[in-house]
Amino acid sequence: MQGLMNNKTVVIMGVANNRSLAWGVAKSLHQQGANLIFTYRKERSYLKLQELLQEDGIKPLLCVSCDANDDESIEGAFQEMKEKVGVIHGLVHSIAFADKEDLKGGYLDTTREGYMLAQHSSAYSLVAIARAASPIMTEGGSIVTQSYIGAERVVKNYNVMGVAKAALEASVRYLAEDLGKYGIRVNTVSAGPIRTLSAKGVSGFNDIMSTIEEKAPLRRNVDQDEVGDATMFLLSNLSRGITGEVLHVDAGYHIMG
Ligand code: NDP
Ligand code: N5H
């Protein structure tokens, strides 16, 4: 089969279940012929991932445990990839975490611990991972992370995560500059709201989805497959001239006043 990702090996970080944005990316990449490596943190995610891979007939090159808040764990994961696979061409960072208590009420009440947790998990994790992954992107590469419009504007309840996503988007630009000389591109997809495990139980999610249906140019929400295809584009050679970019996959909502 002739695919856009033939002979490319891509690491996907952040599949928790079939609703995960990262799983949408995995399906798009598989359709285009990519070889896949997965990382997971919780045992529960690993078991889900095994089920999903079996259901969809996807044979990964490797599944490696990696806690994005732990430098040793990151080093170990990429060392294992280097030894077992050698070269990688792409990486999908689809990881974020904040304390539930910090995702409601006022941003003013964010604690130091809550701020640090969100920044570590959701923004610094990209920096640490890019540092570990880039040495094995010896044929050039593409790194893509997932952001949200709360990085650019105040979105009710997003709070500490909005500030973390702002840091993530700025990191994308600085990393794009650092890694560009090695032929490595760094971009982010800014996705519209999608019902995932992370989104479960957070305040105001349903209201935001209805607002998009009403106000977005396309008058609808987006899904994992659309985020998957756009992320695959950024990983593929079709986007070879693009780096440091924020690509909105949000039915056009971000252009509205
Ligand atoms: P999921 O809950 O499906 O995925 C979140 C993933 O983050 C899980 O796989 C979880 O792994 C992983 N994770 C959290 N902390 C760590 C850590 N320290 N180390 C390793 N993995 C970690 O939710 P989504 O697919 O929605 O989220 C993926 C990304 O998409 C996030 O960056 C999110 O902010 C972003 N996004 C989501 C939107 C949405 O509406 N859903 C909209 C815009 C952006 P584990 O459970 O194994 O710890
Ligand atoms: C404006 C909104 C709604 C309010 C804010 C939601 C923010 C969500 C992001 C973070 C990542 C959610 C989070 O950390 C939840 C955890 O505290 C609890 N959940 C878990 O531990 C589950 C089991 C695991 C799998 O989750 C993680 N993250 O590891 C934003 C929404 C309209 C859009 C949205 C949901 C954006 C986003 O960034 O995800």
Side-chain angles (χ1 to χ4, degrees):
M1 188 194 73
Q2 197 56 29
L4 290 168
M5 299 299 297
N6 279 354
N7 304 315
K8 301 274 186 215
T9 298
V10 181
V11 181
I12 301 181
M13 314 182 78
V15 176
N17 61 24
N18 65 323
R19 291 172 175 249
S20 296
L21 269 51
W23 185 245
V25 181
K27 286 188 295 178
S28 295
L29 288 172
H30 175 67
Q31 270 169 17
Q32 295 301 328
N35 301 313
L36 303 178
I37 296 173
F38 292 88
T39 76
Y40 60 92
R41 177 171 62 163
K42 295 195 192 121
E43 184 67 14
R44 183 184 62 183
S45 304
Y46 175 71
L47 296 174
K48 270 280 164 207
L49 181 60
Q50 294 310 313
E51 265 177 43
L52 293 172
L53 291 168
Q54 204 151 34
E55 272 169 30
D56 282 43
I58 302 176
K59 288 198 175 64
L61 289 180
L62 216 56
C63 289
V64 194
S65 134
C66 181
D67 179 348
N69 288 351
D70 177 342
D71 286 334
E72 266 181 38
S73 173
I74 295 172
E75 278 308 319
F78 285 90
Q79 187 57 37
E80 186 174 341
M81 290 178 213
K82 185 181 176 179
E83 282 161 15
K84 297 196 174 148
V85 178
V87 179
I88 63 168
H89 305 93
L91 182 135
V92 181
H93 172 280
S94 189
I95 289 173
F97 194 90
D99 192 318
K100 259 207 158 106
E101 288 306 305
D102 291 321
L103 299 170
K104 59 185 178 203
Y107 175 64
L108 187 64
D109 295 323
T110 307
T111 61
R112 192 176 295 275
E113 290 71 32
Y115 184 93
M116 296 300 274
L117 177 63
Q119 286 284 339
H120 272 300
S121 315
S122 318
Y124 186 77
S125 60
L126 178 72
V127 184
I129 286 163
R131 194 164 56 245
S134 49
I136 57 170
M137 290 184 161
T138 48
E139 297 169 6
S142 170
I143 297 175
V144 184
T145 184
Q146 302 295 333
S147 192
Y148 178 64
I149 197 168
E152 303 164 58
R153 304 185 198 163
V154 173
V155 177
K156 194 164 183 257
N157 296 322
Y158 203 59
N159 297 0
V160 73
M161 189 52 68
V163 176
K165 291 297 191 191
L168 179 74
E169 292 187 6
S171 295
V172 162
R173 292 185 282 272
Y174 281 92
L175 291 171
E177 160 57 14
D178 286 353
L179 295 173
K181 50 179 149 333
Y182 307 115
I184 301 172
R185 300 182 291 110
V186 188
N187 292 289
T188 182
V189 163
S190 182
I194 296 177
R195 215 174 289 283
T196 61
L197 191 53
S198 278
K200 213 175 170 175
V202 297
S203 318
F205 185 80
N206 290 342
D207 293 346
I208 291 175
M209 293 246 346
S210 330
T211 308
I212 307 278
E213 275 182 24
E214 215 177 282
K215 297 208 173 134
L218 296 180
R219 306 291 196 276
R220 63 168 179 82
N221 281 288
V222 295
D223 63 22
Q224 284 85 345
D225 293 349
E226 291 169 321
V227 171
D229 283 350
T231 304
M232 186 275 292
F233 160 75
L234 288 173
L235 291 162
S236 80
N237 197 45
L238 291 181
S239 60
R240 61 195 175 280
I242 303 175
T243 195
E245 185 68 290
V246 180
L247 178 61
H248 293 84
V249 181
D250 65 347
Y253 180 70
H254 71 286
I255 68 169
M256 301 307 292

